[in-house]
Amino acid sequence: MSQMPRQAALPKCPSCAEPVEPGDLFCGACGYDLSVVPAPPQDHPALPMTGAAAPGDGTDRPAPGPGDPVPAADPPGPGAGGAGPHGQEPGDEGSAGSGVRFDRPAEPDEYPLQAPDPRPAAPAAAPAAPARLCVACRTGRVDDDGYCENCGHAQPRERDHLERETGPVAAVSDRGLRHHRNEDAFAVGHTTLPDGTPAALAIVCDGVSSATRPDAASLAASLAAGDTLLAALPRGTHPQAAMHEAIVAAAHAVNALADEPATAREHAPHQNAPACTIVGAVVTSGLLVVGWVGDSRVYWVPTDRTAPPARLTEDDSWAAQMVAAGLMSEAEAYADERAHAITGWLGADAYELEPHTACFRPDRPGAVVVCTDGLWNYAETAQEMSEVVPPDAATRPLHGAQVLVGHALDGGGHDNVTVAVLPFPAPSQGAGSA
């Protein structure tokens, strides 16, 4: 329903508040000069603080036409009559027309920041490693000790089977079929002598099973001996002298393993110090040097199988002593159950160290086989060894070593078996630092 407009109230004198007529220059009651009173500001809608009004915010709406709904009036605010915030009256500074609301709470000059959490941030969880399955039952999970939680089968270790070929020399080591770990170790390499001629080397060590940590002893000895040879030969040290130095260095490395706290000895007084045997060979263009302590061996097998093969080492064993003393024949001695009792080894509790070295000058090409008793138990004599060494062992040393290890496993694999094969003379191709 339509409404009549209300009549606007007459303005008042700013001095005495008496009504005055529009256009009067002086108040009729008190004579106040009305010309000094500024004209009231035009009525503008409040604008947003971000700038000009955007389309559709109500500032450019057309006037409602006939029949259009009348929009609801805004609530009274500053400048629309009534007291403003904090007791301000209409006409005070910042009142009507300023576009600012004074009824908002005062904002602080600074905003406090949230204190950091003193607790350390939890590290991101690493992705869980996939569970290892047993190689035997294929269903059980392998525990941290390397055994299947389902069937108890020991899982293969890194040293259970190792193969390496570097230049003209190669070696293979296998745990065998009866032992629970591989206590053998080897080192192979090649280098050049000061005159530029090539040299190849191989070290094979067999841990003494009755001693403490035999696998650690063989590994330490092989690494120390190999590093010593690779350092001494390029300096011009004679290969036989370098081999002696290598065996001494290996003995020191094994002796160092016995440096353990006294409390460890108290808990295991029955255990011997770590120990192992060692055998090695160095091959140059015209020289073959071997060195050993213990019962691992070196065999010479000519490429021309009509020429006789030879065993180049003598065992430090009970059987060898019986043969050397003339008390038994070789067949009788090695058939005795005491045959493999060693009389020389590397270790802190060994007798006086006596490295054996020998130097040979073969007159024909062939293959040098360096091995533990895990192999020569199945090919004891030089002739038996020559029969199982492949004819191309000198040109395919890795294949030759694989065949010899396979021969030991086929024979029963009662012990760890390690074999290194070197060609003689050392070929010039592939020579360099290992």
Side-chain angles (χ1 to χ4, degrees), residues 51-374:
D57 62 359
T59 61
D60 56 353
R61 291 192 297 251
D68 290 341
V70 179
D74 292 336
H86 309 292
Q88 291 180 336
E89 295 293 337
D92 289 348
E93 182 179 357
S95 60
S98 67
V100 180
R101 294 187 59 180
F102 290 95
D103 57 344
R104 294 180 300 176
E107 298 182 356
D109 294 336
E110 296 182 358
Y111 291 88
L113 299 178
Q114 182 179 4
D117 191 343
R119 296 172 297 179
R132 290 174 54 198
L133 295 182
C134 174
V135 299
C137 68
R138 298 291 182 180
T139 57
R141 177 182 172 274
V142 179
D143 62 19
D144 295 337
D145 294 330
Y147 290 87
C148 176
E149 295 179 346
N150 180 44
C151 67
H153 188 88
Q155 304 303 296
R157 298 176 176 86
E158 181 182 2
R159 288 178 62 178
D160 283 356
H161 186 88
L162 294 174
E163 297 185 1
R164 186 182 180 193
E165 184 175 28
T166 173
V169 58
V172 176
S173 182
D174 193 90
R175 176 171 60 95
L177 305 179
R178 301 294 182 89
H179 284 244
H180 69 284
R181 66 180 175 184
N182 190 359
E183 297 172 356
D184 289 355
F186 66 82
V188 292
H190 62 282
T191 185
T192 54
L193 303 180
D195 61 359
T197 58
L201 61 98
I203 296 291
V204 170
C205 297
D206 185 357
V208 178
S209 297
S210 60
T212 305
R213 296 157 59 200
D215 53 335
S218 63
L219 181 61
S222 62
L223 293 177
D227 291 345
T228 301
L229 287 173
L230 289 173
L233 293 173
R235 292 199 306 258
T237 305
H238 189 277
Q240 189 168 2
M243 179 62 72
H244 186 278
E245 293 178 6
I247 295 176
V248 173
H252 291 329
V254 178
N255 292 347
L257 297 178
D259 295 337
E260 55 189 7
T263 54
R265 287 286 185 175
E266 293 175 0
H267 291 300
H270 62 284
Q271 292 182 338
N272 299 325
C276 69
T277 66
I278 186 171
V279 65
V282 174
V283 172
T284 68
S285 59
L287 198 66
L288 169 57
V289 172
V290 299
W292 74 97
V293 173
D295 62 348
S296 293
R297 295 179 176 180
V298 178
Y299 290 86
W300 160 252
V301 180
T303 302
D304 180 7
R305 296 304 170 89
T306 62
R311 174 158 63 96
L312 306 181
T313 58
E314 294 293 338
D315 298 343
D316 289 324
S317 66
W318 179 91
Q321 284 188 342
M322 294 298 103
V323 174
L327 300 176
M328 290 183 177
S329 67
E330 186 169 357
E332 292 173 340
Y334 282 99
D336 194 285
E337 61 180 7
R338 297 166 289 180
H340 290 280
I342 58 176
T343 58
W345 64 88
L346 305 183
D349 57 357
Y351 303 121
E352 183 178 357
L353 178 64
E354 296 181 2
H356 310 294
T357 61
C359 186
F360 303 91
R361 294 185 182 274
D363 60 354
R364 65 196 66 203
V368 180
V369 177
V370 185
C371 63
T372 61
D373 59 348

